[in-house]
């Protein structure tokens, strides 16, 4: 398109504004955006270039490197699982798939409205710059958190030696059933207000069979089968497209056909998970509300082993007061970084 790279995104915006003013088919005002079809491709290409320029301006070199390493690690574990289990795809929430493919591009996507608001004059450039920086930071935090969780949970699964996968369905709304699949979809289940079902059943190279669920953390509230049904703010168990905090739950089975609902509120039943794994971000437990929600999940989940908590590094340790509180269920904590061997150690707990 012949647009020279300018020093700041504000200067690039001025160039784009001039480009728009010189073309009869483009009208950009605080009230209206209209771009004629023949010019639409170039217009949005120029907007996209500014979006990427903002990302480049906000991220440090170290952050770009660390995000690239995380994206590569996530793509690699998906590829390893697919190859080992004969899958066509490990399906993640769309934003995580975009991050694994191109972190910078994924970070730039939410900036389009910020750029267009600044271009139209609806938002002053000085204000838009602050909005843009906050947007990049918030997007980076959310994508890095979600990508690291997915890497940990899929890495634990890969360490089990998966060789075959079944999708879990429910024809009558009550009884779970399985069918062979070549797509493992994180967070998928038949939507149900009363029941939670595993998203898949897997067989390991040593013959062991597990039902798995990468449950959205907010859905753990619905695992308290003895509590009355609250006003429904749940996703009904189907969180396949949701980018948010998750918990990995694994249930050992005698055979794939033995899969059952993990929670049945009508029968006031919650099945014990054989392994539960949760990722925590650095310093998260210093926030009293987050710590309270975490302890509530601990008390709600039924597990045969202490919950395994994974953090990227040593910065996410629990407060000493919590560790000394005998009423808080026990947890086992480890810092895994991007070390697959650390995830293999977690998988060994199922032996």
């Amino acid at each position: 398109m012949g647009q020279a790279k300018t020093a700041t995104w504000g200067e690039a915006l001025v160039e784009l504004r001039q480009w728009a003013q010189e073309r009869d088919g483009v009208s950009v005002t605080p009230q209206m955006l209209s771009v004629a079809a023949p010019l639409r491709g170039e217009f949005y290409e120029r907007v996209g270039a500014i979006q990427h320029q903002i990302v480049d301006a906000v991220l440090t070199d170290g952050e770009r490197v660390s995000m690239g390493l995380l994206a590569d690690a996530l793509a690699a574990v998906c590829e390893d699982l697919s190859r080992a289990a004969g899958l066509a795809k490990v399906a993640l929430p769309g934003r995580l798939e975009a991050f694994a493919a191109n972190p910078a591009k994924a970070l730039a996507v939410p900036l389009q409205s910020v750029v267009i608001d600044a271009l139209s004059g609806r938002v002053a450039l000085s204000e838009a710059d602050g909005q843009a920086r906050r947007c990049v930071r918030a997007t980076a935090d959310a994508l890095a958190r979600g990508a690291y969780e997915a890497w940990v949970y899929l890495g634990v699964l890969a360490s089990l030696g998966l060789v075959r996968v079944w999708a879990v369905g429910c024809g009558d709304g009550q009884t779970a059933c399985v069918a062979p699949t070549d797509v493992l979809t994180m967070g998928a289940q038949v939507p149900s207000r009363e029941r939670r079902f595993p998203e898949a059943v897997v067989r390991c190279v040593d013959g062991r069979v597990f039902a798995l669920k990468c449950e959205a953390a907010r859905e753990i509230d619905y695992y308290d089968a003895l509590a009355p049904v609250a006003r429904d703010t749940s996703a009904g168990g189907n969180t396949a497209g949701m980018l948010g905090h998750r918990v990995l739950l694994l249930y050992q089975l005698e055979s794939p056909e033995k899969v059952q609902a993990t929670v049945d509120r009508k029968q006031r039943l919650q099945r014990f998970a054989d392994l539960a794994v949760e990722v925590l971000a650095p310093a998260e437990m210093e926030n009293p509300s987050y710590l309270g929600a975490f302890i509530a999940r601990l008390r709600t989940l039924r597990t045969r082993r202490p919950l395994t908590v994974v953090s990227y590094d040593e910065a996410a340790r629990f407060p000493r007061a919590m560790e000394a509180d005998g009423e808080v269920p026990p947890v086992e904590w480890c810092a895994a970084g991007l070390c697959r061997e650390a995830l293999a150690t977690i998988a060994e707990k199922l032996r």
Side-chain angles (χ1 to χ4, degrees):
M1 65 184 178
Q3 182 183 19
K5 185 172 182 180
T6 51
T8 68
W9 79 274
E11 293 172 358
L13 194 73
V14 170
E15 290 183 4
L16 177 55
R17 189 174 291 151
Q18 181 178 352
W19 177 90
Q21 290 171 349
E22 292 172 352
R23 281 151 181 83
D24 293 336
V26 182
S27 177
V28 184
T29 71
Q31 296 78 31
M32 182 185 71
L33 169 65
S34 175
V35 183
L39 298 171
R40 205 166 292 157
E42 184 175 357
F43 174 79
Y44 283 106
E45 186 179 353
R46 287 173 175 268
V47 170
I50 296 174
Q51 292 170 239
H52 284 283
Q53 193 168 355
I54 294 171
V55 173
D56 286 342
V58 174
L59 294 185
T60 66
D61 290 341
E63 287 170 334
R64 276 189 285 273
V65 170
S66 63
M67 287 203 167
L69 291 173
L70 176 55
D72 290 345
L74 179 56
V77 77
C78 289
E79 177 61 27
D80 290 348
L81 272 173
S82 297
R83 186 186 313 110
L87 299 174
K89 183 179 183 181
V90 175
L92 305 176
R95 293 179 68 191
L96 287 186
E97 291 189 348
F99 177 84
N102 187 326
K105 186 175 181 180
L107 288 172
V109 168
L111 290 167
Q112 186 180 89
S113 61
V114 176
V115 173
I116 290 178
D117 283 348
L119 177 67
S120 69
R122 196 174 78 85
V123 176
L125 179 59
S126 57
E127 182 181 345
D129 187 72
Q131 288 182 2
R133 292 178 181 275
R134 289 191 295 272
C135 180
V136 171
R137 287 293 171 199
T139 303
D141 288 347
L143 289 176
R145 169 67 181 262
Y148 189 65
E149 285 187 356
W151 176 81
V152 168
Y153 301 155
L154 295 175
V156 171
L157 293 177
S159 297
L160 290 172
L162 271 58
V163 294
R164 193 174 179 190
V165 178
W166 291 263
V168 178
C170 180
D172 59 5
Q174 300 181 32
T175 306
C177 58
V178 295
T181 183
D182 64 352
V183 178
L184 174 61
T185 303
M186 176 178 280
Q189 79 156 60
V190 177
S192 171
R193 178 176 170 82
E194 300 294 340
R195 297 173 183 85
R196 293 295 177 265
F197 296 99
E199 59 210 52
V201 173
V202 299
R203 188 187 299 281
C204 305
V205 67
D206 59 10
R208 289 180 299 165
V209 175
F210 295 95
L212 73 94
K213 190 161 183 62
C214 287
E215 184 66 277
R218 76 179 199 187
E219 298 285 296
I220 300 297
D221 295 345
Y222 289 77
Y223 277 53
D224 189 351
L226 300 182
V229 177
R231 186 169 298 170
D232 196 353
T233 58
S234 138
N238 186 8
T239 60
M242 181 187 296
L243 178 64
H245 182 29
R246 294 182 182 273
V247 180
L248 173 65
L249 303 172
L250 291 170
Y251 304 81
Q252 191 157 4
L253 306 176
E254 294 178 6
S255 67
E257 294 74 22
K258 296 291 185 180
V259 65
Q260 295 175 297
T262 58
V263 173
D264 189 320
R265 295 181 67 92
K266 284 191 174 180
Q267 295 187 25
R268 301 167 75 85
L269 170 69
Q270 180 189 162
R271 303 191 187 281
F272 277 73
D274 289 278
L275 181 67
V277 184
E278 181 168 6
V279 168
L280 292 177
E284 198 161 38
M285 295 296 95
E286 295 176 6
N287 183 314
S289 64
Y290 286 3
L291 179 60
F294 172 76
I295 292 174
R297 285 197 298 273
L298 270 181
R299 289 173 170 158
T300 298
L301 279 174
R302 303 289 178 262
T303 60
R304 302 188 192 282
R305 296 170 175 82
L307 174 73
T308 298
V309 173
V310 179
S311 62
Y312 187 86
D313 54 29
E314 300 280 341
R317 278 195 176 278
F318 295 104
R320 293 186 182 277
M322 188 194 109
E323 293 178 345
D325 189 341
E327 296 185 5
V328 177
V331 299
E332 296 176 350
W333 173 85
C334 74
L338 289 176
C339 175
R340 290 279 288 271
E341 287 77 10
L343 306 185
T345 300
I346 295 171
E348 279 297 312
K349 295 180 181 184
L350 287 164
R351 291 291 181 184

